[in-house]
Amino acid sequence: MTGVAGPPGGIRRVGVVGCGTMGSGIAVLCGRAGLDVVVVASGPAAVPAGRARLTGSLERAVSRGTLTGAERDATLGRLEFTADLDALADRDLVVESIREDEEQKAELFVALDKVVRSPRAVLASNTSSLPVTRLAMVTGRPERVVGTHFFNPVSALPLVELTGTLLTGEDTLRRMTEFVEVALGKTPIRTPDRSGFVVNALLIPYLLSAVRMVEYGVATAEVIDQGMTLGCSHPLGPLRLADLIGLDVVTAIAESLHREFREAQYAPPARLLRMVEAGLLGRKSGRGFYAYP
């Protein structure tokens, strides 16, 4: 007798905490994959904005012709929005995607550990820089905690950094690899549990070097970006890329790397710190190294 294959990794019900750029992207990805998704916003007032962000993303996909109206409606039907963490009790996987603040993420993992009932449920962090062990150790299930670092925009970029700690079970990593590959259609790479993992450990010093060149008057942002796009075939120059990521996010990752490795290449330049303090965060605020009317 032939059995019917279950969902990839045994994961059918997904929770996403946070519905900013990354959280909403992950939620849409899971919804389009046919999964039952609960999205938890930071508070009741954030629920309508989160729903609007996800709906807007799906509408843009329809306008581009990459999604039909029927598929949009079906995806929205799989998404539930709430501000109540208790709605995650029956989830097979919960992905945390709140701001890159270790204390806030740790507090959330303590709460998720109490709320999520299934002993096999996986708790994942979309952290782009923080060591996952620190989050795993505040829970009673460190063997079920992983890092799943998606990239922006989630719908377009195929990579997911999958990070296990010294305590993560091999079964958890196997299930998550299958889930990322089969259910989500992404390419996972196993990365070490160190600040920045692989991609940001390479990328952030490059972005910071470009900021320093602007700060020291070596070249303008436009010249630097032209140099890297036209001379090195990069799709985006480093400063436009920093604006896309968010200068606050770049700063947070740099500070995490600098705390862990104490190397000068990871220290955020004063120019970058002042821009963040002034609210010049890049594309999402309308102005960074470039203006976005």
Side-chain angles (χ1 to χ4, degrees):
M1 181 176 177
T2 303
V4 178
I11 296 168
R12 189 186 306 277
R13 296 179 297 273
V14 177
V16 178
V17 183
C19 52
T21 299
M22 295 304 297
S24 61
I26 294 166
V28 166
L29 180 68
C30 291
R32 291 185 64 173
L35 301 164
D36 173 2
V37 185
V38 172
V39 183
V40 180
S42 58
V47 170
R51 183 183 289 109
R53 184 176 290 110
L54 270 71
T55 302
S57 174
L58 292 168
E59 293 291 355
R60 287 190 294 275
V62 172
S63 68
R64 290 193 299 265
T66 59
L67 192 71
T68 67
E71 289 170 333
R72 172 202 59 206
D73 295 342
T75 299
L76 285 171
R78 300 183 191 108
L79 298 170
E80 175 187 343
F81 298 86
T82 181
D84 186 3
L85 278 180
D86 289 340
L88 302 175
D90 66 346
R91 301 292 96 180
D92 304 311
L93 165 68
V94 176
V95 181
E96 166 274 311
S97 188
I98 64 173
R99 67 190 299 265
E100 197 73 351
D101 181 289
E102 184 176 336
E103 185 176 345
Q104 289 186 20
K105 286 181 185 287
E107 290 175 358
L108 176 58
F109 268 75
V110 169
L112 291 174
D113 191 37
K114 295 174 182 176
V115 165
V116 181
R117 291 194 301 258
S118 171
R120 290 199 77 221
V122 177
L123 304 182
S125 175
N126 186 51
T127 178
S128 54
S129 64
L130 299 173
V132 180
T133 299
R134 297 174 189 168
L135 303 178
M137 291 307 294
V138 303
T139 76
R141 59 180 98 190
E143 72 283 358
R144 303 288 182 199
V145 176
V146 296
T148 48
H149 178 211
F150 292 80
F151 289 80
N152 183 32
V154 175
S155 61
L157 295 185
L159 186 69
V160 176
E161 287 186 306
L162 182 59
T163 305
T165 74
L166 295 174
L167 301 175
T168 304
E170 190 56 38
D171 175 65
T172 300
L173 290 170
R174 177 192 59 76
R175 291 173 62 206
M176 289 302 297
T177 298
E178 181 183 355
F179 175 73
V180 169
E181 285 182 335
V182 179
L184 303 184
K186 298 292 187 182
T187 301
I189 57 172
R190 296 268 187 106
T191 57
D193 186 27
R194 45 176 273 161
S195 183
F197 313 122
V198 168
V199 173
N200 279 328
L202 291 169
L203 176 63
I204 295 301
Y206 163 63
L207 300 184
L208 299 182
S209 292
V211 175
R212 291 189 188 100
M213 291 184 80
V214 173
E215 183 174 55
Y216 300 154
V218 175
T220 65
E222 291 84 355
V223 166
I224 293 166
D225 284 349
Q226 280 186 319
M228 298 311 294
T229 55
L230 302 181
C232 297
S233 295
H234 288 199
L236 278 180
L239 297 164
R240 283 200 184 277
L241 179 56
D243 274 359
L244 176 63
I245 294 168
L247 301 187
D248 53 337
V249 176
V250 172
T251 300
I253 298 170
E255 289 173 339
S256 176
L257 286 161
H258 191 247
R259 280 195 303 272
E260 177 131 324
F261 301 113
R262 299 297 178 186
E263 294 180 11
Q265 63 177 331
Y266 296 126
R271 170 68 175 264
L272 183 61
L273 295 174
R274 297 296 88 76
M275 291 178 74
V276 172
E277 289 167 356
L280 306 178
L281 307 182
R283 185 179 292 273
K284 63 186 174 184
S285 71
R287 182 179 164 196
F289 286 98
Y290 297 88
Y292 303 91

